[in-house]
Amino acid sequence: MSTPSLPAPESSARLREALIAASFTADGLLDLLGAPAYAALARSETVPALRATRGDSPLETLVRLFLLQQPVPPALAAAALPLEQCLADGWLVREDGGAQDGVLATVDVRPYGGDEGQDWFIVSDLGRAVGGAGGAGTRDEGVVLGVGGASTTLAGITVRTPVSSALDLGTGSGIQALHAAQHAIRVTATDLNPRALHFTRLTLALSGAPGADLREGSLYDPVGEDTYDLIVSNPPFVISPGARLTYRDGGMGGDDLCRTLVQQAGERLNEGGYAQFLANWQHVDGEDWQERLRSWVPRGCDAWIVQRDVQDITQYAELWLRDGGDHRTDPAQYAARYEAWLDEFEARKTKSVGFGWIALRKSGAEVPSITIEEWPHPVEQPLGPVVRAHFERQDYLRAHDDAALLADHFKLADEVVQEQIGLPGAEDPEYVVLRQNRGMRRATKVDTVGAGFAGVSDGSLSAGRILDAIGQLLGEDPVLLRDRTPDAIRLLVEQGFLDPLGRT
């Protein structure tokens, strides 16, 4: 799959050595630029970084070349990397072809910290990494973007248990494939855009990661009947009129692309396997959005779907019009495109669009666990362990009836605090809140029994014995307390406030 306009990966090992030797890493960038200039890059503002790289050190040269896409003198480039080999392999080109003119990068190379502190590099089109010199806005068909908020979110929520096989569907510049290569024996990466597959090859090679099985095609077509232990996808989920831009527009009507990805994942997963997606979905007039998503979940799979944000159709259209650079066009053309978006939403009776993540686990359960919730609040990444624990708790709750639940022992999860809410000076609080300071950072109201139960759950006593003691303390009938409390315990387990110890 030769792409002459892009670098060849053969010199990746030598280039990688040079980048690391110059501290062209995530930590090295922060040290060089300082926090303000580093943050400005994420806003596509390059002036602070240009001011911070006016010296002649190899690191400053590499930042100007690969992040700011500025020409640098050949002598400085030769001091920072294997110049002639990078020119021969297409990483760099001479400005105007003259030997004494500056050299320019042909691709964006962005340092990226690995799961365990590895020095990785994401390769993408010039100026198309988020924080790149040109920003992400583009009207270029086939452009391949680099690291952005969506890709890092998906990487953070993905379950990272060792697996035999993983599929990165719609790989782009290869970020998810790079993560998967650390814990999967075999990684397959697909994309409709052959240029993206070449970038994935470059990203893996320059990061020192094993290669992936790269396949061109749409959706699950490239993998035939193959099945996987892990499927991840940051797909072109934008709900738009038409399919102008491959990297974002799925080419199907409405949210059909995301629905298809999710519905067809079940037959591609091995037993116990996970499929995790970022997605957009329509909020249709007269339809419950949660029921819409429930219909997407494939048979035999548990699901956890979290809506992180909702935008009305005007906000949504404006966001993606700016992303495509349409706001820089003729005002009449911009207005016409805006009208086309609103016409599309009106035809589909769409009033708003939701964004979030969808996690599936193939459990084979006769009665699957499907949790669909709205959670716009801050969370603590990485959430992969939290996602895995969520599904393990569903298995536990399915396997334990009320009697088994009361016979088991529980431990209050780490970093859970109790807040008492009420009027100042009141003898008793109006209600009690348990709050997590890790993971999803949930908060839930509990009554006096629930607060007391959580407070003494250190694993030493069974749930039933704790309730008996609480009943005696409060003067309540222990039989009635045992009868009405299991639902509250289940909720605390499901939301991660209590960890079952399995001592039944």
Side-chain angles (χ1 to χ4, degrees):
M1 188 182 297
S2 175
T3 308
S5 61
L6 293 176
E10 284 70 25
S11 60
S12 297
R14 285 192 63 191
L15 178 55
R16 174 178 170 78
E17 290 175 3
L19 298 179
I20 292 177
S23 295
F24 187 68
T25 62
D27 290 340
L29 278 185
L30 183 58
D31 289 342
L32 171 67
L33 301 178
Y38 192 82
L41 271 181
R43 302 191 299 271
S44 299
E45 296 292 346
T46 60
V47 172
L50 286 167
R51 291 174 61 86
T53 56
R54 290 179 290 193
D56 295 339
S57 71
L59 178 55
E60 289 166 297
T61 298
L62 293 171
V63 171
R64 289 199 301 274
L65 266 176
F66 289 119
L67 292 187
L68 304 177
Q69 285 100 53
Q70 298 294 309
V72 302
L76 291 182
L81 44 68
L83 177 60
E84 295 305 321
Q85 187 169 7
C86 287
L87 287 167
D89 285 348
W91 293 94
L92 304 175
V93 293
R94 292 192 185 276
E95 189 179 30
D96 297 330
Q100 299 306 312
D101 289 325
V103 294
L104 289 161
T106 61
V107 291
D108 185 300
V109 177
R110 185 157 301 262
Y112 181 68
D115 295 321
E116 298 178 359
Q118 305 99 317
D119 292 318
W120 292 344
F121 302 94
I122 309 302
V123 188
S124 64
D125 273 311
L126 287 172
R128 301 312 177 194
V130 171
T138 177
R139 295 187 299 278
D140 300 332
E141 172 62 26
V143 70
V144 177
L145 302 188
V147 182
S151 54
T152 55
T153 293
L154 179 59
I157 68 173
T158 299
V159 175
R160 297 294 175 197
T161 53
V163 294
S164 295
S165 57
L167 169 64
D168 176 13
L169 197 154
T171 185
S173 55
I175 298 164
Q176 309 309 323
L178 178 57
H179 281 279
Q182 312 308 306
H183 64 102
I185 296 173
R186 174 174 60 89
V187 176
T188 301
T190 72
D191 206 289
L192 183 64
N193 183 2
R195 186 175 177 83
L197 297 177
H198 194 94
F199 273 116
T200 295
R201 182 180 288 110
L202 294 174
T203 290
L204 294 173
L206 195 57
S207 298
D213 177 8
L214 304 178
R215 305 187 190 183
E216 182 181 341
S218 177
L219 300 176
Y220 295 101
D221 292 345
V223 301
E225 300 300 317
D226 293 350
T227 58
Y228 299 88
D229 302 312
L230 173 67
I231 298 173
V232 291
S233 183
N234 176 19
F237 51 66
V238 177
I239 300 171
S240 59
R244 283 196 303 146
L245 302 176
T246 303
Y247 73 88
R248 71 169 203 193
D249 300 325
M252 294 186 179
D255 52 18
D256 283 354
L257 182 131
C258 292
R259 175 185 56 79
T260 301
L261 278 176
V262 175
Q263 287 182 335
Q264 294 183 1
E267 60 195 62
R268 308 289 179 173
L269 279 177
N270 294 326
E271 201 67 28
Y274 291 88
Q276 297 184 249
F277 309 93
L278 297 187
N280 279 184
W281 44 79
Q282 296 164 238
H283 285 226
V284 177
D285 191 30
E287 180 183 78
D288 186 323
W289 69 270
Q290 293 182 321
E291 289 305 312
R292 181 183 190 84
L293 290 176
R294 186 178 297 274
S295 71
W296 291 11
V297 178
R299 184 184 301 274
C301 288
D302 294 340
W304 185 20
I305 302 174
V306 181
Q307 180 167 272
R308 297 286 290 153
D309 191 20
V310 181
Q311 290 185 317
D312 67 49
I313 56 174
T314 59
Q315 291 174 311
Y316 189 81
E318 290 162 14
L319 170 67
W320 294 109
L321 286 166
R322 287 193 300 271
D323 171 82
D326 293 294
H327 61 303
R328 303 191 191 106
T329 63
D330 174 74
Q333 184 179 349
Y334 174 79
R337 291 197 186 280
Y338 201 149
E339 288 277 5
W341 282 74
L342 297 184
D343 287 344
E344 176 77 5
F345 287 133
E346 184 178 338
R348 295 183 178 277
K349 298 182 179 180
T350 302
K351 57 184 180 179
S352 55
V353 177
F355 170 82
W357 65 67
I358 297 175
L360 307 176
R361 199 275 305 265
K362 192 164 186 178
S363 64
E366 291 185 12
V367 181
S369 164
I370 300 177
T371 302
I372 303 173
E373 60 179 322
E374 187 165 12
W375 192 254
H377 312 293
V379 299
E380 182 189 44
Q381 287 277 33
L383 276 173
V386 175
V387 174
R388 181 184 179 188
H390 169 87
F391 289 108
E392 290 174 344
R393 290 194 296 270
Q394 303 309 312
D395 287 342
Y396 172 87
L397 292 171
R398 264 195 300 255
H400 288 71
D401 60 16
D402 287 355
L405 198 72
L406 293 175
D408 204 352
H409 296 235
F410 297 88
K411 184 177 182 298
L412 187 67
D414 293 337
E415 297 198 37
V416 172
V417 297
Q418 176 178 304
E419 300 174 359
Q420 298 190 151
I421 312 298
L423 293 174
E427 184 175 346
D428 295 313
E430 294 179 22
Y431 58 89
V432 176
V433 173
L434 298 182
R435 187 179 301 277
Q436 301 168 348
N437 287 324
R438 304 294 300 273
M440 292 292 287
R441 295 175 172 165
R442 294 187 186 278
T444 189
K445 290 183 182 180
V446 291
D447 60 13
T448 303
V449 173
F453 185 92
V456 299
S457 290
D458 60 3
S460 60
L461 297 175
S462 69
R465 290 187 61 186
I466 291 174
L467 289 179
D468 290 344
I470 291 175
Q472 187 174 20
L473 182 66
L474 298 179
E476 292 197 34
D477 186 333
V479 175
L480 295 177
L481 202 57
R482 281 174 172 253
D483 186 55
R484 68 176 173 85
T485 306
D487 284 346
I489 297 175
R490 286 183 183 279
L491 180 63
L492 292 176
V493 171
E494 182 176 6
Q495 294 189 345
F497 289 94
L498 291 176
D499 294 325
L501 301 183
R503 295 183 186 173
T504 53

